[in-house]
Amino acid sequence: MHLRDLLGSQLVAIRGGALGTIHDVRLVQDGPVLGSFGAALRLDGLLAGPGAVGVRFGYAHGHVDAPALLATALRAESHRLLFAAWSDVVAVSEGVVYVRAGTALTEPPTTGTGKVYEAAFEILDRQLVDVRGRLAGKVDDLGFGSTDGSVHVETIRCGPGAIAEHVGGKPGRWLATVYRRLHEGEGDPASVSFGTVRTIGPELTLALPREDLDVMAFEAWIRDRFISKLPGSSG
Amino acid sequence: MKRILEIFLGILTAFGGFVDIGDLVANAETGARFGLSLAWVVLVGVIGIVLFSEMCGRVAAISHRPVFDVVRERLGVRVAFVNLVASFFINFLTIGAEIGGLALVVELATGINYLLWVPLLGVAVWIVIWKVRFQTMEKAFGLTGLALLVFVVALARLHPDWGSLVRAATHPSVPPSEDLATYAFFAIALLGAAMTPYEVFFFSSGAVEEGWTREDLMVNRANVYLGFPLGGLLSLAIMTTAALVMKPRGISVDSLAQLTLPIGLTVGKIGVAFLLIGMFAAIFSAALETSLSAGYTVAQFFGWQWGKFVKPREAARFHAVVLVSIGAATLFILTTVDPVKVTEYSIVLAAAALPLTYLPILVVANDPTYMGTNVNSKITNAIGSVYLVLLLAVAVATIPLMIVTKAGA
């Protein structure tokens, strides 16, 4: 299961009805130890409601509160963003996540067990920086895995293959086609263990050199076939 | 002392680099057609680019995130991709306009048809990007661009009645020969020329290229608060010169050659030499900035290594995008499209696309998780909100106005 499969899906209660659209996913850092990152990010719950823009900009939960014009307009749009615990989820299918009958959305509870992240707002689409400070791709998606009954973030999915089908429309199909042509027979987009993450901030820093990431294959190809052939490319 | 000299040089670079083919064409054209009745738009545009660039520079210095990183982080992958396609296309037109403009300047200097110069200049732009250090490149062309101050000399030699110029600029009205739609269309063109999005792609990526930190916020403010308004004054000098010399004679500006007329009349041959050198340097600098911006936007959207602060082979995909963009823009101009027309379309579309980049920057400049204590002040936010509304209105009005006025014809 991937983060982008959940985002934008409908949240539906069994024998109840639609509860809203999933706009973000709450992660708590209290999972089993994962590499040098420490405790893994456990999937704590889903954040659903009517509006998406305020969530994405940080107005929904008071991360950002200015300028007043945007804060007022977008808080009204997104003030009903509410929480459903992952433990209430019974099934995930394409575009729909089902929760136990009788589940109602609540205010997000306070958690004392670990640092809390909102995945789409704070982690998704951020820049990856390698151990030597070089740029190494984006957090194009997150991959979840489960152990001991809980679900946590296991991998960062990286490369156009992870976003192509989510861009949508004609440009998305075009991107997906170009990606498939360039990566014939290679299957999935590259994945990096979340255990190699060192810090999460405006960028995610990794404990690896970028040469160790599969996502650099295309960069290497362009470098060796094209850029290195031009005079002065190492100058 | 060295620090002060550096800041001073930075201001002059921002000043000399402010004007590009878009500003030259838009200001001369509106001056010749509308006198000073659109001068207020230059003021609106300069305040806008100052506000926008200061935020971008501050975000880059504090969080080390250039504009297109922020666009993707805040708008999400779907909207950001549409934004990338639109921004890349407009930027592509601008690269073409700058390379074509350069060739026209060389034609004026040599008398040899511009089409011959187009491929040579395309190659020259690429070689400078490939080989010359970022700071050297920026300073050399920015400072030489100051030769355009010849417009200020020309203006002084025309001995205008300053009082009536100020009255004309402060009491704008639609000239009787023009209708309101055309007036509004040219207002948008002037705004787009002053606030072209590539300027902020380049400015914020340049801040990361030069490794700005919190200590460089002073440099950011100096460049933006002094360099850009001086550039705006130069734009006004171009407009006023055209208004004084061309408008009374009923000459409309539809080629760069006509810019030599007011300078030749007032300052003579030496003046024309300065004009050609200034135009060449200013447009060359813009050609470098737009070509790099093509690479910056694509690489920042996908998270690739970008920038001139690493060896070309370390940022292979970035350099490939830059090279292919320059090549394609060169071929586009070789199809004999009129570079001045390309310029006109590029600045108008640039104005329409402004909210796409402006909105995410405004949001992130207020986000303490990126900015810590360096979030926007109340005043910045007040002016920023007014501009958000203004830019949205411009974006909605542009395409209908373009159709109604047949692009200002």
Side-chain angles (χ1 to χ4, degrees):
Chain A
M1 187 178 64
H2 305 138
L3 176 61
R4 286 197 196 274
D5 300 336
L6 297 174
L7 298 177
S9 290
Q10 290 300 308
L11 190 62
V12 175
I14 297 216
R15 286 196 302 275
L19 297 171
T21 307
I22 299 168
H23 293 306
D24 212 333
V25 164
R26 197 160 96 131
L27 305 171
V28 180
Q29 194 178 1
D30 61 1
V33 171
L34 186 65
S36 57
F37 179 64
L41 299 173
R42 179 178 56 82
L43 205 178
D44 183 45
L46 306 168
L47 295 162
V53 181
V55 182
R56 196 72 211 197
F57 286 1
Y59 292 108
H61 291 125
H63 294 288
V64 187
D65 60 3
L69 177 76
L70 283 173
T72 314
L74 295 175
R75 227 181 273 136
E77 179 233 21
S78 54
H79 74 289
R80 282 164 51 216
L81 189 78
L82 292 170
F83 177 84
W86 183 252
S87 51
D88 286 329
V89 171
V90 289
V92 179
S93 72
E94 199 174 325
V96 190
V97 175
Y98 296 94
V99 284
R100 230 185 284 284
T103 304
L105 297 178
T106 60
E107 286 294 326
T110 48
T111 312
T113 49
K115 197 163 169 9
V116 175
Y117 291 95
E118 276 149 36
F121 179 66
E122 290 172 284
I123 300 176
L124 192 65
D125 293 320
R126 299 271 168 135
Q127 181 70 45
L128 293 172
V129 175
D130 83 348
V131 69
R132 287 166 50 194
R134 298 170 304 169
L135 307 178
K138 293 273 182 192
V139 181
D140 287 318
D141 203 350
L142 293 176
F144 293 104
S146 56
T147 40
D148 314 332
S150 78
V151 173
H152 59 268
V153 179
E154 218 159 52
T155 57
I156 296 170
R157 285 158 52 83
C158 193
I163 53 173
E165 58 206 274
H166 298 281
V167 165
K170 221 174 217 163
R173 280 198 295 280
W174 171 78
L175 186 66
T177 312
V178 171
Y179 179 78
R180 266 198 308 277
R181 289 270 166 82
L182 289 171
H183 292 77
E184 222 151 346
E186 285 179 36
D188 240 33
S191 67
V192 185
S193 165
F194 209 86
T196 65
V197 173
R198 292 210 301 198
T199 59
I200 300 175
E203 57 201 20
L204 268 74
T205 55
L206 301 176
L208 301 173
R210 64 180 178 189
E211 286 76 10
D212 291 4
L213 310 182
D214 298 334
V215 74
M216 300 305 287
F218 182 39
E219 172 85 16
W221 188 85
I222 297 264
R223 182 187 64 218
D224 298 338
R225 299 289 180 90
F226 181 33
I227 295 295
S228 288
K229 307 242 151 109
L230 300 167
S233 61
S234 354
Chain B
M1 188 61 212
K2 189 160 174 281
R3 184 88 178 144
I4 294 172
L5 185 74
E6 229 168 77
I7 290 179
F8 182 67
L9 263 179
I11 295 168
L12 287 184
T13 308
F15 179 12
F18 185 84
V19 170
D20 75 341
I21 183 84
D23 298 281
L24 284 166
V25 168
N27 286 288
E29 203 172 349
T30 48
R33 254 179 96 161
F34 297 88
L36 288 186
S37 64
L38 279 166
W40 60 274
V41 182
V42 177
L43 184 69
V44 173
V46 169
I47 295 173
I49 193 70
V50 164
L51 181 78
F52 196 2
S53 303
E54 192 278 327
M55 285 195 278
C56 290
R58 183 155 38 90
V59 168
I62 302 294
S63 73
H64 308 294
R65 298 270 67 81
V67 169
F68 234 84
D69 274 23
V70 169
V71 165
R72 175 151 171 205
E73 283 158 24
R74 289 304 83 162
L75 296 183
V77 74
R78 185 185 297 235
V79 181
F81 190 73
V82 174
N83 193 341
L84 175 68
V85 172
S87 300
F88 189 86
F89 172 69
I90 295 164
N91 190 63
F92 174 80
L93 288 184
T94 317
I95 302 175
E98 310 287 356
I99 292 177
L102 274 179
L104 289 172
V105 173
V106 181
E107 178 182 312
L108 285 176
T110 59
I112 300 171
N113 189 288
Y114 81 99
L115 285 170
L116 187 77
W117 298 107
V118 169
L120 295 175
L121 287 161
V123 172
V125 167
W126 176 72
I127 289 178
V128 171
I129 288 179
W130 185 250
K131 285 312 299 176
V132 181
R133 253 169 33 103
F134 187 85
Q135 278 94 339
T136 318
M137 172 190 106
E138 212 193 357
K139 294 227 159 64
F141 289 99
L143 294 179
T144 318
L146 289 174
L148 284 177
L149 284 173
V150 69
F151 276 105
V152 178
V153 179
L155 192 54
R157 292 234 177 143
L158 284 166
H159 302 296
D161 172 2
W162 295 99
S164 71
L165 285 182
V166 172
R167 250 194 318 282
T170 50
H171 297 81
S173 63
V174 183
S177 53
E178 307 282 354
D179 60 38
L180 184 63
T182 317
Y183 183 81
F185 181 77
F186 276 92
I188 290 175
L190 272 176
L191 186 74
M195 290 187 74
T196 326
Y198 85 80
E199 289 169 6
V200 293
F201 298 147
F202 178 77
F203 189 72
S204 75
S205 304
V208 178
E209 293 253 26
E210 295 182 5
W212 281 13
T213 60
R214 199 174 293 271
E215 281 77 59
D216 295 291
L217 287 177
M218 193 51 220
V219 183
N220 180 35
R221 288 196 201 102
N223 283 356
V224 169
Y225 291 151
L226 294 170
F228 289 3
L230 285 170
L233 282 179
L234 179 56
S235 300
L236 279 178
I238 297 170
M239 181 188 275
T240 312
T241 313
L244 289 172
V245 177
M246 326 283 256
K247 188 160 185 282
R249 293 173 175 80
I251 305 169
S252 68
V253 175
D254 44 27
S255 77
L256 281 188
Q258 276 143 333
L259 285 175
T260 57
L261 176 69
I263 303 293
L265 277 178
T266 51
V267 199
K269 272 195 182 141
I270 296 285
V272 173
F274 268 85
L275 172 71
L276 294 180
I277 292 169
M279 285 204 291
F280 185 84
I283 301 174
F284 204 102
S285 140
L288 298 172
E289 294 175 9
T290 47
S291 303
L292 283 168
S293 292
Y296 289 147
T297 51
V298 175
Q300 287 162 12
F301 176 85
F302 286 109
W304 302 339
Q305 179 70 57
W306 53 270
K308 282 178 56 57
F309 58 93
V310 294
K311 291 175 187 137
R313 53 170 291 130
E314 296 277 311
R317 285 176 292 191
F318 164 75
H319 277 284
V321 173
V322 172
L323 177 51
V324 169
S325 304
I326 296 174
T330 305
L331 287 176
F332 172 55
I333 294 303
L334 279 177
T335 60
T336 73
V337 288
D338 178 2
V340 175
K341 280 270 169 314
V342 176
T343 306
E344 289 168 1
Y345 280 102
S346 74
I347 55 181
V348 170
L349 293 175
L354 273 169
L356 291 172
T357 40
Y358 179 80
L359 175 63
I361 286 294
L362 180 63
V363 171
V364 162
N366 279 295
D367 188 335
T369 57
Y370 286 77
M371 302 303 290
T373 54
N374 291 96
V375 290
N376 274 358
S377 67
K378 284 213 164 68
I379 298 172
T380 307
N381 274 332
I383 309 172
S385 303
V386 173
Y387 269 83
L388 180 63
V389 174
L390 173 75
L391 296 179
L392 285 171
V394 165
V396 172
T398 301
I399 304 294
L401 275 176
M402 198 166 177
I403 294 166
V404 170
T405 64
K406 299 191 177 68

